[in-house]
Amino acid sequence: MARKPIIAGNWKMNNTIAAGVELVKELIPLVKDNDKVDIVVCPTSTALAGVSEAKKGSNIHVGAQNVHWEKSGAFTGEISADMLTEIGVEYCVLGHSERRDYFGETDEGVNKRARAAFAAGITPIICCGESLEIREKGAYLEKVAYQVKMALDGFKPEEVEKLVIAYEPIWAIGTGKTATFDQAEEVCKHIRETVAAAYGQKAADEIRIQYGGSVKPATIKDLMQQPNVDGALVGGASLKAKDFSEIVNF
Ligand code: PEP
């Protein structure tokens, strides 16, 4: 079955409100005729509302970079799913390796965040991926399958099919070292098989799996040829409208 590709730009902690609005305004005309890809930009929290307003009427969707699992309460520094939907957020990156490595996020927490986002109508983009050490030990397929199973725990098959998973080998993020197309395909295929075993073939056929890690305009075409790669999560190259538009218009 044909899965619609999804390409998301993770702006990380970059761009003020003004810079984010300017970037999305620059992007709109460059991607306006693209109806073959779901295009998502994920600004930092302060810029979400402004970017969401600026992209109105375009084919660009807005994603957050995290969400808390509770609806409200004493959770200093956190944002709830309802607070995000109020300002037009439709996607949310979850379990990014930077959140896991620098802020101690766990597989259990990622699962709770994913379930809260989904329940509020936000599509989680759930990140997984192995460190260089695990890759070199040869244990990367087990590691990624474990992260995926933990993140999807408690979802029903008809929910799983609507989710997005981003396979991001940590050693390829921001390093300029892209995984080879075969390496990306091997792990994305394994993720799909893991989903099939736990949630059935329909969920596996429909869930969208992105690759992330130093994706550039020059690499996207070949990456998208891989049968189990349904899109990309793009960091650095999403900060320039021209580069990101060339990626989404592959
Ligand atoms: C990311 O952080 O999700 C990412 C893929 O970054 P980059 O494209 O810069 O490697």
Side-chain angles (χ1 to χ4, degrees), residues 54-68:
K55 67 84 191 168
K56 269 192 183 148
S58 77
N59 54 345
I60 297 171
H61 302 270
V62 172
Q65 296 177 18
N66 208 357
V67 67
H68 194 260

Side-chain angles (χ1 to χ4, degrees), residues 104-120:
E105 286 199 14
T106 61
D107 289 316
E108 290 80 5
V110 172
N111 173 252
K112 288 196 320 194
R113 292 175 198 275
R115 286 165 66 171
F118 190 83

Side-chain angles (χ1 to χ4, degrees), residues 92-112:
C92 187
V93 174
L94 290 170
H96 192 280
S97 60
E98 288 152 15
R99 300 283 335 154
R100 295 177 190 258
D101 288 353
Y102 307 152
F103 304 100
E105 286 199 14
T106 61
D107 289 316
E108 290 80 5
V110 172
N111 173 252
K112 288 196 320 194

Side-chain angles (χ1 to χ4, degrees), residues 21-239:
V21 165
E22 197 180 309
L23 176 54
V24 82
K25 282 190 175 161
E26 219 183 306
L27 188 62
I28 291 170
L30 300 177
V31 301
K32 69 176 176 21
D33 299 324
N34 185 334
D35 56 8
K36 65 175 184 177
V37 173
D38 284 335
I39 304 165
V40 185
V41 294
C42 303
T44 193
S45 308
T46 54
L48 283 169
V51 169
S52 186
E53 189 58 36
K55 67 84 191 168
K56 269 192 183 148
S58 77
N59 54 345
I60 297 171
H61 302 270
V62 172
Q65 296 177 18
N66 208 357
V67 67
H68 194 260
W69 52 84
E70 293 291 346
K71 283 190 165 294
S72 62
F75 301 100
T76 303
E78 295 286 336
I79 299 176
S80 76
D82 292 345
M83 292 167 184
L84 295 176
T85 56
E86 185 187 20
I87 52 170
V89 169
E90 296 171 273
Y91 292 86
C92 187
V93 174
L94 290 170
H96 192 280
S97 60
E98 288 152 15
R99 300 283 335 154
R100 295 177 190 258
D101 288 353
Y102 307 152
F103 304 100
E105 286 199 14
T106 61
D107 289 316
E108 290 80 5
V110 172
N111 173 252
K112 288 196 320 194
R113 292 175 198 275
R115 286 165 66 171
F118 190 83
I122 294 172
T123 301
I125 299 175
I126 299 168
C127 302
C128 58
E130 80 286 357
S131 62
L132 187 58
E133 194 190 345
I134 291 179
R135 161 97 11 202
E136 285 173 347
K137 269 194 206 146
Y140 53 99
L141 293 179
E142 291 82 349
K143 170 73 182 177
V144 169
Y146 179 78
Q147 288 179 321
V148 169
K149 280 191 230 159
M150 292 290 285
L152 302 189
D153 187 41
F155 279 99
K156 300 188 184 103
E158 63 271 24
E159 296 172 335
V160 168
E161 65 192 39
K162 299 191 176 80
L163 304 178
V164 179
I165 293 184
Y167 166 58
E168 299 205 303
I170 299 169
W171 45 272
I173 296 180
T175 58
K177 218 189 223 185
T178 323
T180 65
F181 305 120
D182 287 348
Q183 285 172 325
E185 170 60 15
E186 181 193 25
V187 182
C188 291
K189 180 168 180 275
H190 189 67
I191 292 171
R192 205 175 298 288
E193 288 165 355
T194 302
V195 171
Y199 297 95
Q201 198 55 49
K202 183 167 184 289
D205 285 343
E206 297 199 7
I207 194 169
R208 291 182 291 177
I209 305 174
Q210 299 173 315
Y211 165 79
S214 301
V215 173
K216 300 278 179 290
T219 54
I220 187 71
K221 224 187 181 85
D222 289 334
L223 182 66
M224 293 304 294
Q225 296 299 317
Q226 306 307 312
N228 286 288
V229 176
D230 306 317
L233 183 55
V234 184
S238 71
L239 296 172

